[in-house]
Amino acid sequence: FLSELIPDMTDSQAQTFSVAYRAQCKGPTIFLTLTLVGFVIVGGIGRFYVGNIGIGILYLLTGGLCYVGTIIDVIKYKRITFPVNQLKVQQIASMAKAS
């Protein structure tokens, strides 16, 4: 996915994009770790991390929907973080190309 954007950029734009993406990328491993912490401490931490505030509050108030939602998040952690990162890539690429 990223390789499609880089060839259209100059070297300075690609470098700006790379730095910004590394800073804003939501790692699937971190999301998985935070979701697993939700089993022990507070449900919904992973959802807050990826910016799903509404679902995060719902999980917080319902114990991860009685742990069912948290288990689903553990199974689908890559599918949850990919769209978030894809949106960030598009935003950062448009800013990098504008500069």
Side-chain angles (χ1 to χ4, degrees):
F1 178 73
L2 292 175
S3 62
E4 296 172 6
L5 297 171
I6 299 295
D8 298 337
M9 296 182 187
T10 65
D11 288 339
S12 65
Q13 289 174 334
Q15 185 177 11
T16 302
F17 170 79
S18 177
V19 169
Y21 179 69
R22 278 190 221 125
Q24 296 183 23
C25 175
K26 302 297 183 186
T29 308
I30 296 172
F31 174 79
L32 178 61
T33 304
L34 291 172
T35 302
L36 291 172
V37 167
F39 276 118
V40 180
I41 300 173
V42 178
I45 297 172
R47 289 298 186 146
F48 285 112
Y49 173 70
V50 293
N52 296 84
I53 305 302
I55 296 174
I57 292 172
L58 180 66
Y59 280 20
L60 180 70
L61 297 175
T62 61
L65 294 175
C66 298
Y67 296 110
V68 173
T70 305
I71 292 169
I72 292 171
D73 284 355
V74 168
I75 294 168
K76 297 173 63 176
Y77 73 99
K78 288 185 180 178
R79 284 183 250 162
I80 293 169
T81 55
F82 182 74
V84 173
N85 287 331
Q86 193 174 25
L87 180 63
K88 288 287 182 190
V89 163
Q90 293 169 351
Q91 292 171 347
I92 294 167
S94 64
M95 290 186 332
K97 287 180 182 179
S99 63

